[in-house]
Amino acid sequence: MTRVFSGVKPTGHLTLGNYLGAMRQWAAVDQYRADALFCVVDLHALTVDHDPARVRRLSRQAATLLLASGLDPERCTVFVQSHVDEHARLSYLLECVATDGEMRRMIQYKEKAAREQRRGGSVRLSLLTYPVLMAADILAYQSDEVPVGDDQTQHVELARDLAVRFNQRYGHTFVVPRATPPAVAARVMNLQDPTSKMGKSEDVGPGIVYLLDEPDVVRKKVMRAVTDSGREVVYDREARPGVANLLEILAACTGGNPSELAGVYESYGALKRDTAEAVVEVLRPVQETHKELCADPGYVEGVLRDGAERARGMARPTVDAAYRAIGLLPAGADSGAVVGVSAVR
């Protein structure tokens, strides 16, 4: 059975972009068609300055929202990254396979490092190496597919390169994964800057719709969305990015086609009103289920505990095999023993 791995980083509140671009697909399709693992990748949140209490709070909220979006722990594995030691264990081995040049070519590192340098500061070493940890997240589970937006494709390519290199040098140990970008609404853009992704790391902003925003807040943000010059409603991502973003959000919420929807509207106002109501309705069941889950924290804790145990059982044979393959002596082993390297899924 195909194995799928994906995760969310608790660096900010989850957004409409996270839901339409990933989480809804995970719940509606991926957990039914594959052996699927969905992870709150909290270790990745430590690559930047952070408040420890906030990271814990956002990690719990992210896990709860994953369940509220429709993930069923009877069908898939939902867990927190730091609860499974194999992620960190494998990450160091892959650092011993990756190169400095590969890390410094990562787009996110280059952009953030340059920004900090202009401010007279520097970034944490973990920001440079975290793509290797992301590769470990994927490879530890012998994942076949990684559903990601196009901004994360470079990181999956790194995981592929490291898997191939490790296999060639030390014996076949890892499945070589592939990125599988979602077909619709892969990138929901910021309502105030439709050329930029609606990112959760920006903690405030009228251009970001959060999954737990109240309906009136959602309506206000959508109605104030930046549009484009002219009055005609046309779907053109390059020339009319603001209108295109609204049409894509509306299409993703209603199951329509952006180009066809453009022909329905004669004014930006009508488009904004319908888009706002569509977003409110899409978020309503998620918010209602989230509220119910928050009233039963023991249930969420149990899901994460069971999920971590299941994930650990999947990852440990592969990571142990990687340790043997790369030349590390197994704990308690006879120094003269010959140990196989095969990792069986």
Side-chain angles (χ1 to χ4, degrees), residues 223-241:
M223 293 304 296
R224 293 180 178 177
V226 168
T227 49
D228 311 290
S229 59
R231 297 182 177 180
E232 188 178 4
V233 178
V234 177
Y235 179 62
D236 186 333
R237 182 182 273 274
E238 297 299 322
R240 302 281 186 88

Side-chain angles (χ1 to χ4, degrees), residues 280-295:
V280 167
E281 289 307 310
V282 159
L283 295 185
R284 190 185 306 280
V286 177
Q287 293 178 352
E288 290 175 351
T289 305
H290 177 267
K291 185 176 180 179
E292 294 171 1
L293 291 170
C294 286

Side-chain angles (χ1 to χ4, degrees), residues 128-139:
L128 177 66
T129 60
Y130 98 89
V132 178
L133 176 57
M134 182 173 174
D137 298 338
I138 297 165
L139 299 181

Side-chain angles (χ1 to χ4, degrees), residues 105-123:
R105 286 194 295 271
M106 292 288 115
I107 293 172
Q108 291 189 24
Y109 171 77
K110 289 170 65 175
E111 291 178 347
K112 292 181 180 179
R115 186 162 58 244
E116 285 302 313
Q117 190 174 28
R118 289 193 296 269
R119 295 172 179 171
S122 62
V123 296

Side-chain angles (χ1 to χ4, degrees), residues 18-219:
N18 296 124
Y19 181 69
L20 295 181
M23 294 163 62
R24 186 171 64 170
Q25 170 82 10
W26 299 347
V29 178
D30 290 336
Q31 68 173 338
Y32 293 98
R33 71 174 181 85
D35 182 8
L37 300 100
F38 302 106
C39 181
V40 179
V41 286
D42 54 343
L43 294 176
H44 292 294
L46 310 185
T47 61
V48 295
D49 289 340
H50 63 277
D51 171 26
R54 185 171 184 270
V55 170
R56 284 191 290 270
R57 185 170 65 252
L58 289 175
S59 296
R60 174 179 288 277
Q61 184 185 90
T64 306
L65 281 168
L66 287 176
L67 297 174
S69 71
L71 293 184
D72 181 354
E74 297 298 320
R75 292 185 174 275
C76 64
T77 304
V78 181
F79 66 106
V80 175
Q81 179 190 33
S82 63
H83 295 176
V84 181
D85 294 344
E86 278 65 29
H87 292 253
R89 288 180 62 208
L90 182 56
S91 183
Y92 180 73
L93 295 197
L94 296 180
E95 285 186 16
C96 296
V97 177
T99 67
D100 177 75
E102 285 175 314
M103 297 300 97
R104 296 187 188 279
R105 286 194 295 271
M106 292 288 115
I107 293 172
Q108 291 189 24
Y109 171 77
K110 289 170 65 175
E111 291 178 347
K112 292 181 180 179
R115 186 162 58 244
E116 285 302 313
Q117 190 174 28
R118 289 193 296 269
R119 295 172 179 171
S122 62
V123 296
R124 298 183 178 188
L125 177 61
S126 56
L127 184 66
L128 177 66
T129 60
Y130 98 89
V132 178
L133 176 57
M134 182 173 174
D137 298 338
I138 297 165
L139 299 181
Y141 298 100
Q142 304 285 20
S143 307
D144 300 290
E145 298 180 8
V146 188
V148 291
D150 52 11
D151 61 321
Q152 292 292 326
T153 301
Q154 185 185 37
H155 291 151
V156 180
E157 287 302 314
L158 175 69
R160 290 173 56 83
D161 291 343
L162 295 180
V164 169
R165 191 176 307 154
F166 192 102
N167 289 346
Q168 289 175 343
R169 290 180 181 177
Y170 306 114
H172 186 78
T173 307
F174 300 115
V175 169
V176 179
R178 62 184 181 275
T180 54
V184 179
R187 297 194 77 180
V188 176
M189 312 307 280
N190 189 297
L191 295 174
Q192 292 298 311
D193 179 9
T195 62
S196 299
K197 183 182 175 182
M198 186 183 285
K200 64 180 178 297
S201 295
E202 305 169 52
D203 204 28
V204 295
I208 306 170
V209 175
Y210 298 105
L211 295 188
L212 297 179
D213 277 346
E214 294 289 337
D216 285 346
V217 173
V218 172
R219 294 185 182 100

